[in-house]
C-alpha cells in the first residue's frame, strides 16, 4: 500500500524538478489550461453571482413564507381574471384551517368605482384587502396610516388612496388626510396615502387606486364575498411544499372540483420564482460554458503535444532509469504525474484569473449599463476545477506516458 | 522571394518529419478557428434568415404602438392605448396612408371539456389574412365583414392550441370553445408557422377573433393596442411618420415631439434591432470562442520553441555555411505561419460543418431551420487572422533561433 505513495511522491518530485528546469515550456503549457479554465470560471462566477443577486432580490421583494393562490387564468394588471370562478370567504376559511398555515388574507378588487370629492369625480380601481396584504405586495404608506385589523372587522368606512388621487381630485392647498371621499355614493374617511409606484411594479393604474378593508369592501361596495387572490402565511418555510399540497387538496374540496379535472387555480411561492430564475441562469451558464470548454480542449491537446516532446527528449533518461531497474509502471506514473501537475496547477491559477476576468466583465457592465453584481465561485466549483485539472492531465497525459513506459531500455539508451 | 520559397520548402519538410506533433499542433489551431467560424456562421445565417423573413413584411408597412414618454425624475407609466376614433382620424386626415388597421390582444382562459389552457386572443379586422406575415388559413374560413360589424363570437385558432384542446380524431371546425367563460365558435384553423416574426403572440398557440368582439367581450372598451398602416405608393417614410404624428399629437394632446406617447416601428427598425442583437451575440460568443484560438496560438509558440531547441545544431550549421540571421528568422516564422494557415483553412471548413450540425440539431427543438452562412469577407478575415496568429506566436521562437551563436549552436547537445 505504502509503495504507491512512495511512487507518487517520487514521481511528484521528479515532475516538479522537470517543470522548474523547463520554465518557459511549462509556463506556456500551463497558460493553455489556465486560459481554458479561466474562461469557464469567469462564466460560472458571473452566472453564480447573478443567481445570488436574483435570490437576494426575490427575498427582499416578497416574503418567503407567503403562498399566493390565484385563479388559473391570465392576469392583466387592473383587471379581474375572467372565465374562472373566483374564491370566496369559505375558501379562505378552508385554507386557514390547514395545520401548515398560520394566517390568511384575501384580496379583491373592483375594476372601476366612482370616486367623488367635492365637485370632482373620477373612475378608478378599488382594491379591498386585509391590512397585512399591503406590505407583502410592496405597498408603502407614505402619509397617514394603514387601517387596523379592528377597523377591518368592524367594516369601518375608511380608505387609503394612491399617490395620483390627490392630484386629480383635490385642490393644491386641500388636506388629504382626514378628508372624506364618496366611493360609489358612500362616504369614506381618507386615513392614508400610498407611496408612488412605477408602472413596472404595480401596473399602469397603480397610482390611481383607492384601498379599503376587505370586509368593508365586500359588505358595503361589492355586495359579494368574492376574493380573487388569497395569500397564506406558512408556519415554517421548510414546509412550503407540504403546505402547497394541503392547500390544493382543501381548495379542490371547497370548490367541488371532480377528481380527474384540472385545478382551476394556481399556487405560487417565492420558491417558484427563484427556481425559474435559477433555471434561466443555468441555461446561460451551460450555453456559454460549452463554448468556453472548447478552449480547454485545445489546452489539453497542447499538454499532450508537449508531453510527447518531453518523452522523446528524455528517451535516454528513461532508458537509463529502466536499465537501473525502474518498471514500466513507474515510468508511466512519472510522466502521468508530470502532466497532471501541469494541468492542476494551470487549473488552480485559472480559478484566480477566471475570477479576476469575471470581476472585470462585471465592472465593464457596471460602467456600460449600470448593473452590478459580485461574481462568485462556490466551493463546489473550486473542487470541480481541481478535479477537471487532474482529469485533463490524465486524459491527455496517458498516451505519452504509456509510450514512455513501453520504451525498450536498450534502444532508449542508444537513442540520439 | 527566393528565400521565402526555400523557407517554405524547409518548413513543409520539417512539419512532415514530425507528423504527430504537427497534427496535434494543427488540431489546436483547427479547433480554435473552427469555434470562431462556427459561431460567426451560425450568427450570420440567423441574420440572413431574419432579414429574409422581415422583408416578407413588405417595405410599405408601418406599425404604431403607444410609448411611455420619458420624463426625468418620474416613475415610468403605462401609456394610454389608442382607440377606434384614432383610426378614423388617420383614415381621414392622412392621405399618404392607404390603409390602416387596428389590433388588440387579451389574455384568455381557453376551456373545452376538461382541458384548460392559458393563452391569448388577438382582435383584428377582416383583412387580417392579407397583411399578416404569420397567419395563413389551413381549414375552414376567416370571419366576414358582417361578423366583424356584429361582434360575432367566432375565432380562428392555431394548430398547437387545437392539439391541446382537442383529441386527434376531432374536427375542430364548427366546434365551440370557451374563452373567459364565453362560448366561441371555431370557424377556421391556421397553418403551422415556423419563423421569427411575432405579431403580438405565437400564432400557433393563439386565437384570432374580430376586433369588435375582443373589445366588447374581453376588454370592455374600444382600446387599440397597436396599429398597422400601409403607405401609399411612392411616399417617403419619414414624411408619412410626421404626417401621422401631427394628427396623433393633436388627438393625444402632446405639445412637443419629444413628449410623444406613441412610436412608429417599420420593418427596417425591426431589422436594425435584430442586427444589433445578433451582433451582440456574435460578439459575446465570439469572444469566448476566441479564447480557444488564443490557446491554440500559445500551443504553437510552445512547439516552435521546442523545434528551435531541437534543431539548434541544424541552425548552427546553416549559419556556419552562410545563412544570415534574417534567413533563420524567416525559416521559423514561415514554419509557424504555414502551421497556422493550414490550421485556419481546415478550421474554417470544420467550423462551418460544426455550424451546420448545430443548426440541424436545433432544427427539431426550435421548429425552424436556418442555413449557416459565411460571408466572403469572413473567409478573408480568418485567413488573415490565421497568418496573424502565426506571426504573433511565431516571432519570439524565430527571433530566439536567429540570435543563436553559430559556434555555440553547433556544439549544443
Amino acid at each position: 500500500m505504502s509503495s504507491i505513495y512512495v511512487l507518487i511522491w517520487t514521481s511528484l518530485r521528479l515532475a516538479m524538478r522537470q517543470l522548474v528546469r523547463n520554465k518557459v515550456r511549462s509556463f506556456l503549457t500551463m497558460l493553455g489550461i489556465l486560459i481554458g479554465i479561466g474562461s469557464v470560471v469567469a462564466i460560472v462566477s458571473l452566472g453564480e453571482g447573478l443567481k445570488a443577486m436574483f435570490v437576494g432580490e426575490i427575498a427582499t421583494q416578497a416574503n418567503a413564507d407567503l403562498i399566493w393562490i390565484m385563479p388559473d387564468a391570465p392576469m392583466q394588471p387592473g383587471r379581474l381574471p375572467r372565465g374562472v370562478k373566483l374564491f370566496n370567504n369559505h375558501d379562505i376559511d378552508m385554507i386557514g384551517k390547514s395545520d401548515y398555515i398560520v394566517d390568511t388574507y384575501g384580496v379583491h378588487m373592483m375594476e372601476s368605482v366612482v370616486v367623488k370629492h367635492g365637485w370632482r369625480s373620477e373612475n378608478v380601481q378599488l382594491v379591498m384587502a386585509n391590512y397585512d396584504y399591503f406590505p407583502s405586495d410592496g405597498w408603502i404608506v407614505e402619509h397617514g396610516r394603514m387601517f387596523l385589523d379592528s377597523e377591518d372587522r368592524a367594516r369601518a368606512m375608511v380608505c387609503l388612496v394612491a399617490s395620483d388621487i390627490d392630484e386629480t381630485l383635490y385642490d393644491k392647498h386641500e388636506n388629504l388626510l382626514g378628508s372624506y371621499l364618496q366611493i360609489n355614493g358612500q362616504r369614506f374617511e381618507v386615513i392614508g396615502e400610498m407611496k408612488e409606484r412605477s408602472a413596472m411594479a404595480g401596473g399602469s393604474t397603480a397610482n390611481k387606486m383607492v384601498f379599503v378593508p376587505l370586509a368593508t369592501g365586500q359588505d358595503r361596495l361589492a355586495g359579494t364575498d368574492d376574493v380573487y387572490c388569497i395569500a397564506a402565511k406558512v408556519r415554517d418555510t421548510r414546509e412550503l411544499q407540504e403546505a402547497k399540497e394541503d392547500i390544493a387538496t382543501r381548495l379542490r374540496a371547497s370548490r367541488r372540483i371532480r377528481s380527474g379535472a384540472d385545478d382551476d387555480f394556481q399556487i405560487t411561492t417565492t420558491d417558484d420564482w427563484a427556481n425559474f430564475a435559477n433555471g434561466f441562469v443555468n441555461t446561460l451558464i451551460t450555453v456559454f460554458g460549452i463554448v468556453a470548454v472548447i478552449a480547454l480542449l485545445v489546452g489539453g491537446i497542447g499538454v499532450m503535444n508537449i508531453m510527447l516532446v518531453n518523452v522523446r527528449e528524455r528517451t535516454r533518461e528513461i532508458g537509463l532509469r529502466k536499465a537501473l531497474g525502474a518498471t514500466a509502471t513507474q515510468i508511466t506514473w512519472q510522466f502521468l504525474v508530470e502532466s497532471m501537475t501541469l494541468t492542476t496547477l494551470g487549473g488552480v491559477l485559472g480559478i484566480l484569473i477566471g475570477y479576476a476576468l469575471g470581476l472585470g466583465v462585471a465592472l465593464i457592465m457596471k460602467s456600460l449599463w449600470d448593473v452590478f453584481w459580485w461574481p462568485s465561485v462556490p466551493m463546489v466549483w473550486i473542487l470541480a476545477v481541481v478535479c477537471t485539472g487532474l482529469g485533463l492531465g490524465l486524459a491527455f497525459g496517458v498516451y505519452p506516458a504509456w509510450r514512455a513506459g513501453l520504451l525498450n531500455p536498450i534502444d532508449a539508451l542508444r537513442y540520439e | 522571394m527566393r528565400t521565402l520559397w526555400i523557407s517554405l520548402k524547409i518548413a513543409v519538410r520539417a512539419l512532415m518529419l514530425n507528423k504527430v506533433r504537427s497534427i496535434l499542433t494543427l488540431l489546436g489551431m483547427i479547433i480554435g478557428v473552427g469555434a470562431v467560424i462556427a459561431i460567426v456562421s451560425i450568427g450570420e445565417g440567423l441574420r440572413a434568415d431574419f432579414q429574409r423573413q422581415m422583408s416578407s413584411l413588405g417595405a410599405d408597412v408601418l406599425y404604431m404602438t403607444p410609448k411611455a414618454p420619458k420624463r426625468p425624475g418620474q416613475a415610468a407609466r403605462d401609456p394610454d392605448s389608442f382607440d377606434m376614433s384614432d383610426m378614423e382620424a388617420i383614415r381621414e386626415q392622412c392621405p399618404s396612408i392607404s390603409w390602416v388597421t387596428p389590433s388588440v390582444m387579451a389574455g384568455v382562459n381557453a376551456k373545452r371539456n376538461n382541458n384548460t389552457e392559458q393563452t391569448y386572443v388577438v382582435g383584428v379586422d377582416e383583412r387580417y389574412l392579407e397583411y399578416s406575415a404569420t397567419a395563413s388559413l389551413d381549414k375552414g374560413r376567416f370571419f366576414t365583414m358582417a361578423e366583424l360589424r356584429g361582434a360575432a363570437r367566432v375565432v380562428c385558432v392555431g394548430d398547437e392550441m387545437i392539439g391541446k384542446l382537442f383529441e386527434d380524431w376531432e374536427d375542430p371546425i364548427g366546434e365551440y370553445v370557451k374563452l373567459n367563460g364565453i362560448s366561441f365558435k371555431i370557424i377556421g384553423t391556421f397553418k403551422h408557422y415556423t419563423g421569427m416574426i411575432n405579431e403580438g403572440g405565437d400564432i400557433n398557440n393563439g386565437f384570432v377573433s374580430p376586433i369588435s368582439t375582443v373589445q366588447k367581450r374581453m376588454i370592455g372598451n374600444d382600446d387599440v393596442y397597436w396599429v398597422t398602416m400601409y403607405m401609399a405608393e411612392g411616399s417617403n417614410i419619414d414624411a408619412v411618420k410626421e404626417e401621422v404624428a401631427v394628427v396623433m399629437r393633436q388627438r393625444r394632446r402632446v405639445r412637443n415631439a419629444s413628449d410623444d406617447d406613441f412610436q412608429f416601428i417599420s420593418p427596417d427598425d425591426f431589422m436594425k434591432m435584430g442586427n444589433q442583437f445578433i451582433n451582440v451575440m456574435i460578439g459575446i460568443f465570439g469572444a469566448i470562442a476566441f479564447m480557444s484560438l488564443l490557446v491554440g496560438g500559445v500551443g504553437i509558440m510552445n512547439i516552435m520553441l521546442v523545434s528551435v531547441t531541437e534543431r539548434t545544431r541544424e541552425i548552427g550549421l546553416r549559419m556556419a555555411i552562410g545563412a544570415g540571421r534574417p534567413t533563420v528568422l524567416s525559416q521559423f516564422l514561415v514554419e509557424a505561419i504555414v502551421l497556422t494557415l493550414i490550421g485556419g483553412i481546415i478550421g474554417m471548413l470544420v467550423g462551418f460543418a460544426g455550424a451546420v450540425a448545430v443548426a440541424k440539431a436545433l432544427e427539431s427543438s426550435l421548429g425552424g431551420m436556418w442555413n449557416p452562412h459565411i460571408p466572403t469577407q469572413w473567409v478573408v478575415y480568418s485567413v488573415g487572422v490565421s497568418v496573424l496568429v502565426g506571426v504573433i506566436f511565431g516571432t519570439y521562437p524565430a527571433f530566439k533561433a536567429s540570435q543563436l551563436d553559430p559556434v555555440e549552436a553547433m556544439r549544443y547537445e
Side-chain angles (χ1 to χ4, degrees), chain B residues 56-103:
Chain B
S56 74
L57 288 176
D60 55 345
V61 66
L62 186 63
Y63 302 96
M64 182 169 71
T65 61
K67 177 185 85 170
K70 264 192 198 145
R71 295 206 188 92
Q74 271 191 27
R77 288 184 197 160
D78 271 12
D80 292 333
S81 306
F82 307 110
D83 58 35
M84 293 308 269
S85 60
D86 290 331
M87 303 305 105
E88 225 30 69
I90 293 173
R91 236 169 247 141
E92 279 164 12
Q93 298 172 37
C94 301
S96 52
I97 297 290
S98 62
W99 178 20
V100 54
T101 166
S103 305

Side-chain angles (χ1 to χ4, degrees), chain B residues 244-263:
Chain B
V244 179
V246 167
V247 174
M248 293 311 296
R249 270 177 216 139
Q250 191 188 0
R251 296 188 55 81
R252 292 163 79 86
R253 299 201 183 120
V254 177
R255 283 215 191 90
N256 307 313
S258 56
D259 293 339
D260 277 354
D261 57 356
F262 52 91
Q263 61 188 348

